[in-house]
Amino acid sequence: MSEIIALTACLTPLLSRTSLHHLQVVVLALLSMNGRVTMLGLSRWAEAGGSYRTLQRWFSSGMDWGSLLWAVVQGHLLDPQGEYVLAGDEVVVSKAGKQTHGLGRFYSSIAQRPIPGLSFFALSLVDVRQRRAYPLSVQQRLPVTVGERVKAAPKRGRGRPKGSKNHAKAAPVLSPELTLLETMLRTLLKRMGTLRVKHLVLDGFFGNYPATWMTRACGLHLISKLRHNAALYLPYSGSKPRRGPTPRYGDKLDYTTLPQTACVSAVTEGNVRVETYQLTVLHKDFPDSLNLVVLVKTQRKTGKRAHVLLFSTDLSLSAVQLVDYYSLRFQIEFNFRDAKQYWGLEDFMNVSEQAVTNAANLAFLMVNLSALLLQTHRQREPDFSVLDLKTHFRARRYLTETIKSLPDPPALDLISRLWHRLASLGGIRPPAHFQDAA
């Protein structure tokens, strides 16, 4: 319990003494327990002061989870000299029943179809050097009704309407997803204060003008992906016509014959040749130029080609940086995996709005706390995993309860050997010092 108290000391200004104590009890129970993470399971593994009714009251109390997540990252995981980007994505968890707040049908990439469940949108701070993501903001996304969906403006006919004048592109109408994301971004950037982050990485669902406009309005540059058949144009490079304005759009980009002058690198890995092209292009839906990177993969034996279009509003990014930053977006998927598999994001059975919010954010707080605990163990055992961490705390709990039931405490060397023996059961690998002793 002492190390949990030390880890959560940074939360003292944000929580009352009682709430902080209950959080510490819940964190220790999460680290020790096995099986489904529910309030009943937590109450069975919690130490003194963690009854079911107490946990029920705690899950119903309001907490500023965004500040709690940031306090842990800022106090323990942040490198002031580090390089960071923000990454965002949606996670869908399956839920049955009819009473859970925000229950609806959301598309699950795992099931490859819409499923009944809950949807949460998360923003994580990604350390470029360490290549790890730390959740900073989690908000539930409510199901969108038909009347709330943004209807696309009707398309006009071909050609320029008579009498129309040049004007700046109007601000788009944001969808409910983008409205939620904008609120989260503005709150998070204000909370982060002096930590300057320039780029926001989102998946291909947000590779459109409204998402770009929203990101730029928040003071960030967007990195995302376009459709493989996006209509892109090279800037006009010809001579000025004798009459009329200079055209803005040049030749349409042909992905089968990309200009060799734009080729940045070409690497052959086994039977696959990967070519990287970087160009500054225009899109008729975007008012500004885009920094485009085209990754072309060719099967050397069959000649089949496939390409991926990555883009950014930051024209100063190199191709290597753009591809690297976009690949770091996948680190947030590891946050989702750990939150579901170990910390109860898939298991909780709360139904009220506040309890659902607390259960989801608690799972992501545990992602940050477990990352901090793993750093200590991986200094001696680089392959130490979350499963080993939970086995470590569970063995300590079993040993503590066993010693309490003995009439006399055993010798210290016997306690050490018992603890190492218990810690070797259920984990992926025994502790290194136990292996040496064996």
Side-chain angles (χ1 to χ4, degrees):
M1 187 66 171
S2 58
E3 56 188 321
I4 304 302
I5 294 176
L7 289 180
T8 56
C10 59
L11 307 180
T12 303
L14 304 173
L15 294 173
S16 65
R17 184 176 179 180
T18 303
S19 295
L20 180 59
H21 172 69
H22 291 157
L23 175 62
Q24 292 166 350
V25 171
V26 170
V27 168
L28 188 58
L30 280 167
L31 289 167
S32 306
M33 70 184 299
N34 56 6
R36 297 187 64 191
V37 180
T38 61
M39 282 199 298
L40 181 60
L42 286 171
S43 65
R44 288 171 174 169
W45 283 87
E47 294 184 349
S51 66
Y52 184 85
R53 184 69 184 113
T54 300
L55 293 180
Q56 196 174 39
R57 288 194 299 267
W58 185 80
F59 271 97
S60 299
S61 60
M63 284 170 276
D64 186 0
W65 284 103
S67 297
L68 296 178
L69 291 167
W70 170 243
V72 173
V73 174
Q74 184 185 33
H76 299 289
L77 298 168
L78 194 65
D79 180 6
Q81 305 301 323
E83 182 183 1
Y84 297 95
V85 297
L86 284 175
D89 204 354
E90 177 190 19
V91 57
V92 175
V93 296
S94 58
K95 294 294 174 187
K98 300 180 180 179
Q99 302 300 321
T100 307
H101 176 264
L103 187 67
R105 294 189 67 84
F106 300 95
Y107 181 82
S108 170
S109 58
I110 297 177
Q112 294 292 308
R113 60 183 177 84
I115 61 172
L118 305 178
S119 174
F120 298 92
F121 200 91
L123 288 173
S124 292
L125 186 69
V126 184
D127 190 329
V128 176
R129 297 177 185 173
Q130 298 292 330
R131 311 193 74 79
R132 296 185 183 278
Y134 307 114
L136 291 183
S137 180
V138 181
Q139 292 288 337
Q140 185 176 9
R141 186 168 77 87
L142 301 179
V144 180
T145 61
V146 177
E148 295 175 337
R149 296 186 183 277
V150 178
K151 295 183 179 180
K155 292 186 177 181
R156 59 178 175 82
R158 298 182 62 183
R160 182 166 178 163
K162 186 177 180 180
S164 66
K165 299 191 179 291
N166 295 335
H167 54 83
K169 192 173 180 68
V173 179
L174 300 182
S175 64
E177 295 85 357
L178 287 177
T179 303
L180 174 63
L181 179 56
E182 181 183 23
T183 304
M184 294 173 63
L185 268 178
R186 293 188 183 277
T187 304
L188 178 58
L189 292 174
K190 183 178 180 180
R191 182 181 297 123
M192 291 165 60
T194 57
L195 180 64
R196 298 303 177 190
V197 180
K198 291 179 56 179
H199 302 95
L200 172 67
V201 188
L202 301 173
D203 62 11
F205 178 79
F206 296 96
N208 50 56
Y209 169 62
T212 303
W213 181 91
M214 182 275 300
T215 306
R216 295 298 297 133
C218 293
L220 299 174
H221 285 288
L222 178 65
I223 298 175
S224 187
K225 185 171 69 171
L226 292 169
R227 289 178 57 88
H228 71 282
N229 58 350
L232 301 175
Y233 298 84
L234 296 171
Y236 180 76
S237 59
S239 59
K240 180 178 174 58
R242 296 180 60 184
R243 298 181 60 184
T246 303
R248 183 166 186 257
Y249 301 100
D251 296 332
K252 187 175 181 179
L253 195 63
D254 185 0
Y255 302 115
T256 60
T257 56
L258 293 169
Q260 287 301 314
T261 56
C263 184
V264 176
S265 64
V267 180
T268 301
E269 300 176 355
N271 192 39
V272 179
R273 180 177 174 81
V274 181
E275 298 173 314
T276 304
Y277 297 83
Q278 184 174 26
L279 310 98
T280 300
V281 297
L282 300 171
H283 191 293
K284 292 188 176 180
D285 287 343
F286 294 77
D288 300 320
S289 302
L290 300 177
N291 185 359
L292 179 73
V293 172
V294 185
L295 300 176
V296 180
K297 294 185 178 181
T298 307
Q299 290 283 346
R300 300 179 64 190
K301 292 184 178 180
T302 62
K304 292 184 177 180
R305 287 169 53 100
H307 64 268
V308 176
L309 306 180
L310 305 181
F311 81 95
S312 175
T313 55
D314 187 358
L315 301 182
S316 64
L317 280 180
S318 66
V320 175
Q321 287 177 309
L322 202 155
V323 173
D324 185 50
Y325 288 171
Y326 187 80
S327 65
L328 286 173
R329 188 198 68 82
F330 197 78
Q331 294 298 319
I332 198 173
E333 300 291 346
F334 297 134
N335 294 161
F336 297 158
R337 178 201 62 187
D338 290 347
K340 286 183 176 182
Q341 185 173 350
Y342 302 113
W343 312 123
L345 184 61
E346 190 77 43
D347 299 333
F348 70 86
M349 301 176 68
N350 311 79
V351 295
S352 66
E353 179 179 359
Q354 188 62 60
V356 169
T357 300
N358 289 347
N361 281 273
L362 174 63
F364 285 99
L365 179 66
M366 288 302 303
V367 171
N368 289 338
L369 291 177
S370 62
L372 183 58
L373 290 168
L374 287 172
Q375 283 184 357
T376 304
H377 288 278
R378 284 174 176 168
Q379 292 176 1
R380 293 183 301 177
E381 304 170 52
D383 296 329
F384 201 83
S385 67
V386 178
L387 187 59
D388 293 317
L389 182 68
K390 288 178 69 70
T391 305
H392 170 95
F393 277 89
R394 191 179 309 122
R396 181 187 299 179
R397 180 63 186 279
Y398 285 151
L399 184 58
T400 302
E401 296 298 327
T402 303
I403 294 175
K404 287 179 181 179
S405 63
L406 296 176
D408 298 313
L412 293 180
D413 61 334
L414 178 59
I415 293 177
S416 178
R417 285 187 282 117
L418 287 174
W419 183 83
H420 292 315
R421 176 66 68 178
L422 291 173
S424 66
L425 301 175
I428 297 178
R429 58 190 61 80
H433 41 282
F434 175 71
Q435 292 176 337
D436 297 339

